[in-house]
Amino acid sequence: MSILNNRRIVLGVCGSIAAYKVAELARRLTQGGAQVDVIMTEAAQQLVGKATFQALTGRPVFDDMWSLPEHHMVEHIALAVQAHMVVIAPATANTLARIATGMCDDLLTTTVLATTAPVLCVPAMNVQMYAAAATQENIAILRGRGFSVLEPEEGPMAEPMVGKGRLPEPETIEGEIRSLLGKHHGALRGRRVVVTAGATREPIDPIRFISNRSSGMMGYALATAARDMGADVTLISGPTSLKTPSAMTFVPVETALEMRDAVEAACSQAHILIMNAAVADFRPESVHDQKIKKNGTDGLTLNLVRNPDILGELAYRHNLFKVGFAAETENMLENAQDKLERKELHMIVANHAVATMAQSMIQVTLIDRNGATTSLPQQSKQQTAIAILDAIVTRLSPYIST
Ligand code: CTP
């Protein structure tokens, strides 16, 4: 089930031109199952209408402490008390300053002062206003008090100016919200999870390489689901056409050797490794400096050498919960069982390579170290990722200390 499901999120919208982008965020959170209570400052209402947020969240929009619906009158801090999270997006320099000084002269600042829920501020403003010492000091104060602050992005602004101050995309903010909710309520909070994804590329010459059909979709779904369950995620990925998920450490690699180094480094502190990448087993013995020319020959022989078995090399790490994938074209369960034992894994996910690579749906069978076999239904890679992580959570404790 989505980490957003039945969560009460207060979304404070301030008067920055980026306020219109937050309508999409409100829609995404609502669709994800959250109950979104929008509070608009006076300035925000000059830029976007209340009706937009009312329609997208299916709930009344709050703007004034003194005109709350009757049942809210008795306790005007009800929103603060019931919230699982407060998000201020866009957060203007003015609102950040007022929160930093503890002011509570409108409904949004009162709610922030009165809540014990995590607060995420997403500043968006003019480049100079963001860089101003006062704003930076206010942000530092808020961070020091445990607020989360998502850095604005660099790029063209509404006014003819380029720089840091842009509101991140709604999808990025949503990822941050999911991660923070996960860190408070998720089953993997406090865990460091490394996920590998995609195919490696083994260069032949400057423009050619050996690779495979892995799209990276399953690995990205696993990394995102682990983030939503509260884990600190490192996603190590071969080249893919997928969007980099937010609120995690992303390590792009190309070759199996680069992936090995990245996995080794990330796993030194990790609790769980999910090795979903389709690592090329072989690489050309040498890489030509220049493009290989035909030069009138009829054929070409490439000498290939074995790549290291990244998972196999970590067999000695008994305090790392290791999950492998076995994408097979025949004898699926026997081959998967063999890999589980050979690489000393805690669990292996067996699937049919041809039927699942680059597809959005997948059917997998989980085999654990005790021989228990669980066949999951054919479902989306996102649903499968959640089911795999649930299975990991229930098997974790004998191997990993809390
Ligand atoms: N794997 C790895 N390093 C490699 C090859 C594979 O870490 N050089 C990992 C994969 O990420 C996967 C698991 O090992 O989690 C099984 O990968 P697979 O390619 O199915 O098996 P191989 O070990 O390559 O064995 P085979 O060639 O017999 O299929």
Side-chain angles (χ1 to χ4, degrees):
M1 194 182 289
S2 157
I3 189 75
L4 292 176
N5 211 44
N6 292 327
R7 301 285 175 207
R8 296 193 64 150
I9 299 177
V10 170
L11 177 58
V13 184
C14 307
S16 152
I17 191 69
Y20 76 94
K21 278 200 201 171
V22 175
E24 168 66 5
L25 176 66
R27 188 190 67 79
R28 293 179 73 104
L29 297 175
T30 306
Q31 274 198 341
Q35 179 181 310
V36 182
D37 286 315
V38 174
I39 300 177
M40 296 183 82
T41 64
E42 232 176 279
Q45 292 171 65
Q46 303 296 320
L47 295 156
V48 191
K50 273 167 78 171
T52 303
F53 286 105
Q54 261 158 11
L56 291 171
T57 61
R59 304 196 37 85
V61 168
F62 304 97
D63 59 351
D64 180 1
M65 278 208 280
W66 311 112
S67 60
L68 288 175
E70 189 129 359
H71 58 283
H72 288 288
M73 284 293 269
V74 189
E75 201 184 356
H76 68 256
I77 54 169
L79 286 172
V81 174
Q82 290 163 0
H84 291 106
M85 188 165 173
V86 176
V87 181
I88 309 173
T92 54
N94 181 43
T95 296
L96 291 171
R98 283 161 57 235
I99 295 171
T101 56
M103 283 172 71
C104 47
D105 55 351
D106 66 5
L107 186 59
L108 179 55
T109 48
T110 305
T111 304
V112 173
L113 199 64
T115 196
T116 53
V119 181
L120 171 68
C121 298
V122 194
M125 64 196 74
N126 159 278
V127 180
Q128 318 291 8
M129 286 171 79
Y130 182 70
T135 304
Q136 290 305 312
E137 280 171 27
N138 287 330
I139 288 174
I141 288 171
L142 293 177
R143 284 206 166 113
R145 289 184 195 147
F147 286 56
S148 298
V149 180
L150 183 58
E151 296 275 311
E153 290 181 353
E154 288 188 39
M157 309 280 291
E159 66 256 56
M161 203 175 252
V162 176
K164 201 166 182 178
R166 269 169 67 94
L167 191 82
E169 291 307 312
E171 200 178 336
T172 308
I173 305 173
E174 183 191 346
E176 218 50 56
I177 294 169
R178 286 172 170 269
S179 166
L180 269 170
L181 283 171
K183 285 191 165 41
H184 283 80
H185 307 281
L188 284 173
R189 59 187 187 276
R191 300 295 185 193
R192 285 180 291 276
V193 177
V194 178
V195 180
T196 67
T200 63
R201 282 183 182 173
E202 310 301 327
I204 299 170
D205 68 15
I207 53 173
R208 301 182 177 102
F209 54 79
I210 298 173
S211 193
N212 59 65
R213 295 184 196 278
S214 170
S215 65
M217 278 194 285
M218 189 68 236
Y220 278 51
L222 282 159
T224 307
R227 177 202 66 190
D228 291 3
M229 290 167 89
D232 277 318
V233 177
T234 301
L235 172 60
I236 301 169
S237 174
T240 72
S241 58
L242 304 173
K243 223 171 162 182
T244 306
S246 61
M248 63 181 69
T249 305
F250 182 72
V251 185
V253 296
E254 286 229 2
T255 65
L257 293 178
E258 285 171 15
M259 186 169 278
R260 175 180 56 179
D261 289 349
V263 169
E264 220 170 39
C267 282
S268 65
Q269 299 291 322
H271 301 106
I272 301 168
L273 167 64
I274 307 176
M275 195 75 199
N276 174 249
V279 185
D281 288 324
F282 297 95
R283 68 177 183 278
E285 190 170 24
S286 57
V287 183
H288 289 251
D289 290 342
Q290 305 298 331
K291 182 183 171 196
I292 300 173
K293 305 298 278 182
K294 288 187 283 298
N295 285 339
T297 55
D298 286 344
L300 173 72
T301 304
L302 281 177
N303 267 339
L304 302 180
V305 293
R306 276 285 291 272
N307 267 329
D309 182 338
I310 303 173
L311 252 185
E313 285 185 348
L314 290 168
Y316 73 96
R317 283 288 310 272
H318 300 296
N319 58 346
L320 176 67
F321 192 95
K322 284 162 288 181
V323 181
F325 271 71
E328 305 293 339
T329 54
E330 56 180 358
N331 305 327
M332 187 177 80
L333 293 182
E334 294 82 345
N335 286 339
Q337 181 74 41
D338 174 56
K339 286 172 192 177
L340 176 91
E341 286 163 21
R342 203 157 26 90
K343 302 187 190 215
E344 296 191 33
L345 307 178
H346 298 86
M347 195 165 98
I348 194 152
V349 183
N351 63 286
H352 202 278
V354 181
T356 57
M357 267 192 182
Q359 303 297 315
S360 57
M361 304 288 278
I362 191 168
Q363 195 280 313
V364 303
T365 301
L366 311 182
I367 309 174
D368 73 14
R369 187 173 265 207
N370 302 321
T373 299
T374 316
S375 264
L376 297 180
Q378 164 101 353
Q379 56 192 349
S380 73
K381 288 187 173 171
Q382 283 71 22
Q383 287 166 319
T384 301
I386 293 169
I388 292 171
L389 287 162
D390 284 342
I392 293 173
V393 168
T394 59
R395 289 163 174 79
L396 206 52
S397 63
Y399 306 106
I400 308 292
S401 57
T402 46

